[in-house]
Amino acid sequence: MTDLAYTDAVAKETAPIFNLLKDQYDEEYWATIAPYIFEINTLKKEKNAVILAHNYMTPDIFHGVADIVGDSLALAREAAKTDADIIVQCGVHFMAETSKILCMDKKVLIPDLKAGCSLAESITAADVRLLREKYPGVPIVTYVNTSAEVKAESDICCTSGNAIKIVNGLDSDEVLMIPDKYLAQYTQGHTSKKILTWEGSCEVHERFTADDIHQFRARYEGVVVIAHPECPPEVLAEADFTGSTQQMIEYVEGKKPDRVVLITECSMSDNIAAVHPEMELVRPCQMCPHMKRITLPKILEALKTEQPEVVIDPELAKRALIPVNKMLEMS
Ligand code: 13P
Ligand code: SF4
């Protein structure tokens, strides 16, 4: 995997990280990735770069090189206040765009421009304009998992962590929540407002079924089931707790269940297991192929070349910033 050397200095510097991750990576494999971790951490300091990593990043990234980890909301908040010159977004494209919208004066890099999202792909700006024509006066709440063009046509953004709060805070009895039909259905269960939605879904979370949960409960006695709101309603109906990726982590760290299953992307459990060896994490693996495009070699290359850079037309960014800022103010 690497042409970088696993020197004594690299081994010494990365030993605390290996110690955390030794249940996940054997020594032979570690020797191939530790030089990347070392190089990335050296280079990011030299360049005054910050690495913002989503909770779905693999443990080598999450625990090895990230400066800030979190859900979409936390990463947006951090992007808004960073004083770094360069942001390296380890996540998918819409997350890097959100950072760029919030920091047009900074260089925002994404290690792989092809890291997309099925939700962001499901709707265009033209679709939103048509919805506005069809439902005049109805506020449009747009999930951050969308392009800058779609955000620019929206009234306010939301994430899975603040969707209920945002919808309930709007001065309207009817709300259009786009593009995730499942997040909209979940929110409908927590508001008296009428929610209209769009036919979008997450290709990862929609694969979970209520039967999966029944089987986990049958096989793992006492298991606590926590799920992401992008899951279908029949899955959420079976869960003990529903929340954003960050809220899931906070729930687990607060309640400290002996046995838990996270109904979400695979790396979440790996990242929690590294710091909570006392907890039994049942690991159903549904992988997000887009998140998994982000790797250590690509992060190093991005830092070295300062490419690929996320570029947004300044006029578009100005329009997209309005709903993003409204969300940050309300949450
Ligand atoms: P969170 O904001 O909960 O981290 O969700 C982002 C995402 O893409 C989940 O699939
Ligand atoms: Fe998009 Fe789903 Fe992947 Fe999240 S897990 S980035 S919603 S495809």
Side-chain angles (χ1 to χ4, degrees):
M1 181 182 174
T2 175
D3 52 5
L4 299 171
Y6 186 52
T7 60
D8 287 349
V10 171
K12 190 166 171 233
E13 189 71 22
T14 59
I17 309 166
F18 180 52
N19 199 33
L20 208 58
L21 303 181
K22 61 182 181 309
D23 288 343
Q24 326 224 13
Y25 305 123
D26 65 24
E27 274 189 60
E28 201 179 327
Y29 184 68
W30 184 253
T32 69
I33 62 172
Y36 282 96
I37 293 176
F38 181 81
E39 286 289 317
I40 291 167
N41 287 336
T42 307
L43 203 52
K44 80 179 179 194
K45 278 189 209 124
E46 277 172 30
K47 295 200 169 193
N48 190 28
V50 66
I51 298 187
L52 302 185
H54 185 260
N55 291 325
Y56 293 163
M57 290 296 102
T58 46
D60 50 353
I61 297 172
F62 187 92
H63 290 292
V65 300
D67 297 295
I68 308 282
V69 292
D71 61 6
S72 313
L73 181 60
L75 297 181
R77 281 195 181 121
E78 292 297 332
K81 64 181 192 213
T82 185
D83 53 11
D85 296 316
I86 299 175
I87 295 174
V88 183
Q89 193 88 31
C90 294
V92 291
H93 193 259
F94 76 80
M95 295 177 177
E97 272 196 339
T98 306
S99 292
K100 184 68 185 174
I101 290 165
L102 285 160
C103 315
M104 282 297 279
D105 57 326
K106 298 195 190 307
K107 193 174 261 189
V108 177
L109 307 173
I110 181 159
D112 189 328
L113 270 174
K114 290 200 202 107
C117 169
S118 67
L119 280 165
E121 304 286 299
S122 74
I123 192 159
T124 65
D127 293 329
V128 187
R129 286 192 289 271
L130 284 174
L131 285 172
R132 210 178 268 291
E133 265 177 52
K134 194 169 168 197
Y135 302 101
V138 178
I140 300 181
V141 180
T142 295
Y143 196 23
V144 283
N145 296 38
T146 46
S147 67
E149 287 82 357
V150 165
K151 288 185 176 79
E153 299 293 335
S154 311
D155 294 303
I156 188 163
C157 286
C158 75
T159 71
S160 59
N162 61 17
I164 297 168
K165 191 170 185 183
I166 297 282
V167 165
N168 281 330
L170 293 173
D171 186 20
S172 170
D173 293 336
E174 215 174 10
V175 170
L176 247 164
M177 263 193 102
I178 56 171
D180 186 354
K181 63 178 175 182
Y182 293 140
L183 180 66
Q185 284 174 42
Y186 169 68
T187 309
Q188 183 66 84
H190 294 82
T191 183
S192 56
K193 297 175 195 293
K194 182 178 176 201
I195 306 232
L196 307 165
T197 189
W198 184 254
E199 193 52 43
S201 56
C202 162
E203 66 183 81
V204 178
H205 291 89
E206 71 181 355
R207 285 186 227 137
F208 290 106
T209 66
D211 198 43
D212 292 336
I213 316 281
H214 300 153
Q215 288 187 30
F216 291 133
R217 291 210 193 271
R219 280 181 62 190
Y220 303 95
E221 204 191 329
V223 72
V224 172
V225 179
I226 60 179
H228 194 275
E230 288 169 8
C231 294
E234 60 276 17
V235 172
L236 299 184
E238 300 293 330
D240 298 306
F241 174 75
T242 299
S244 76
T245 57
Q246 197 57 35
Q247 290 164 340
M248 291 169 113
I249 294 173
E250 283 162 15
Y251 183 90
V252 163
E253 297 197 322
K255 301 264 180 201
K256 301 194 186 334
D258 294 333
R259 244 179 188 180
V260 62
V261 59
L262 309 183
I263 307 301
T264 190
E265 212 269 347
C266 330
S267 292
M268 279 274 291
S269 300
D270 298 337
N271 291 330
I272 294 176
V275 283
H276 291 287
E278 76 289 356
M279 225 175 261
E280 185 189 349
L281 283 131
V282 177
R283 305 197 200 185
C285 201
Q286 293 293 0
M287 195 185 278
C288 174
H290 312 291
M291 291 279 183
K292 264 50 217 185
R293 282 184 174 275
I294 310 300
T295 60
L296 289 173
K298 288 185 200 170
I299 297 170
L300 180 56
E301 191 61 16
L303 266 172
K304 275 185 181 162
T305 60
E306 300 187 15
Q307 291 290 333
E309 189 178 348
V310 176
V311 181
I312 306 181
D313 169 72
E315 279 310 306
L316 172 66
K318 219 187 270 177
R319 289 169 53 226
L321 181 62
I322 298 167
V324 172
N325 266 343
K326 271 194 199 156
M327 169 189 80
L328 292 176
E329 280 158 23
M330 260 178 87
S331 49

